[in-house]
Amino acid sequence: MPALLLNYVDGVSLPAAGGERIPVYNPARDTVLSEMPDTSAEVVNRAVAAAKAAQKDWAKLPAIQRAAALRKISGKIRENIDRIARVITEEQGKVYSLAQLEAAFTAEYMDYMAEWARRIEGEVITSDRAGETVLLLRQPIGVVAGILPWNFPFFLIARKLAPALVTGNTIVIKPSEETPNNASLFVELLEGLDIPKGVINFVYGSGRTTGAALSGHPDVGLVSFTGSVATGERIMAAAANNITKVNLELGGKAPAIILDDADIPKAVHNLAASRTLNSGQLCNCPERIYVQRGVADQVVSGLATALQATRYGDPLGDKEVDMGPLINRAGLDKVRGLVDSAISQGAEVVTGGKVADLGTGSYFEPTVLTNCRQNMDIMHKEIFGPVIPINVVNDLDEAIERSNDTEFGLTSSIFTQSLSSALKACNELKFGETYVNREHFEAMQGFHAGTKKSGIGGADGKHGLYEYTMTHLAYIQT
Ligand code: NAD
């Protein structure tokens, strides 16, 4: 029988008290790796209570001591990169080298957030009164609920936990039901680090049971969520009952614009690489391309050549691969549905276009589609797979207009040699990020924040750190 994961509450691993067991699969092999409990609201209550009790003393520690805890964790992560990478690859399906990168980046992120300990700053505001000092203090919010997706599961732990802890909050994390094993390994790595009990808690389970209990809990001060728009809406509704602050990192439909004056080999290389990374299952990677007419043929054939060369299969199998499977059948069905419907509406398959049957696992052939009209679903719905739909435009204005014709607003990109075209795109694209002449991927010192249905608030850098604080004004009359 597969091992049953244990919740981690108040510094103790808790055996599940009955209830449903949810299997966790290896998406390349369709085998069961482990099982996890569908943790009940009662256990979630215990986790939140433990986090609340621990928060009082945790917040009193100097920030530099809280940062030391993050550095201890990053040290442990660095000693275990290969072990962590294997667990990520097994349950999530990304290639091993990318999983190693994810683990290493997670350690780096912990250290980066630890560095903020000496830089969490308030303000002194000029008063209208004689003898008064007005201070804006930055204080922790209290208990943070971190609800995670599966696509970069280990890194997302740090993206919630590190800013929460260094600013004096405590946290209860619910990993995705697809990828809880890396979280369980994270808990194992905490052993012996002397982090006070209750500061970090993990509960496993479905969104319906465990996630809903956590996001609707009255003692949670901030729900920090990364995932789909549909779930974001539910979380907002649950949080609204208690007027709980939410930080939502949701889906995207990133446009990439390629103008006639672009360095085409560079554009093709970057877009193909971004689109096959993690099998196209990234919120920020290019989901649709607007190419100017003069270079359209060159771009289409370049992308087709690059995607045809992508080797895919079991990332832990005998052959070296560039791309693993999609996370599950539902993910595959979604990609297939969007491609089929685009083809039926007149899109042309340049390469790929169908499910790849490798015996086990969910694979979709790396695909390039042309003749994709702006009104097709494939130009509006998040694909989350290795598929590039292409639309030809006459000029930058048309490209910007079509790019902005979306309910999403996370990332975007432009390839051009013209500074004025690049700046016009940065000013007029209604997205939280625009990459110029480079791949789609954000930096930890930036601010990853979407507009429209891509979310509320953001992560990373100073602005991401301050999402985990509340302001407290002090009016001191002397
Ligand atoms: P998802 O919304 O299906 O699930 C995310 C998490 O929410 C899981 O832990 C799930 O159990 C939980 N959940 C589900 N229903 C819930 C409920 N009612 N209450 C509380 N929690 C609930 O998303 P996913 O499939 O895991 O991730 C893919 C999505 O995440 C994509 O849309 C992608 O664009 C997005 N994403 C966004 C970013 C970003 O930074 N903006 C980063 C990574 C992924």
Side-chain angles (χ1 to χ4, degrees), residues 6-27:
L6 303 177
N7 290 311
Y8 182 68
V9 173
D10 209 13
V12 180
S13 295
L14 277 189
E20 202 190 324
R21 293 165 74 121
I22 303 172
V24 183
Y25 293 95
N26 175 327

Side-chain angles (χ1 to χ4, degrees), residues 147-151 159 174-177 205-208 211-212 215 225-228 231 234-235 249-252 283 382 384 410 448 454:
I147 302 183
L148 313 184
W150 47 262
N151 63 344
R159 212 184 214 175
K174 190 202 92 61
S176 164
E177 46 274 65
S206 67
R208 202 179 54 244
S215 49
F225 169 70
T226 303
S228 63
T231 305
R234 284 186 209 111
I235 284 178
E249 300 289 318
L250 308 179
C283 60
E382 194 179 39
F384 237 50
L410 192 57
H448 183 55
S454 288

Side-chain angles (χ1 to χ4, degrees), residues 44 144-153 156-157 159-161 171-177 201-203 205-217 220 222-228 231-232 234-236 238-239 246-250 468:
V44 170
V144 172
I147 302 183
L148 313 184
W150 47 262
N151 63 344
F152 280 85
L156 262 297
I157 295 174
R159 212 184 214 175
K160 311 291 185 203
L161 180 146
I171 194 161
V172 181
I173 293 181
K174 190 202 92 61
S176 164
E177 46 274 65
N201 306 271
F202 279 82
V203 288
S206 67
R208 202 179 54 244
T209 310
T210 318
L214 196 51
S215 49
H217 200 292
V220 165
L222 167 68
V223 183
S224 180
F225 169 70
T226 303
S228 63
T231 305
R234 284 186 209 111
I235 284 178
M236 244 180 128
V246 290
N247 175 290
L248 305 176
E249 300 289 318
L250 308 179
Y468 290 80

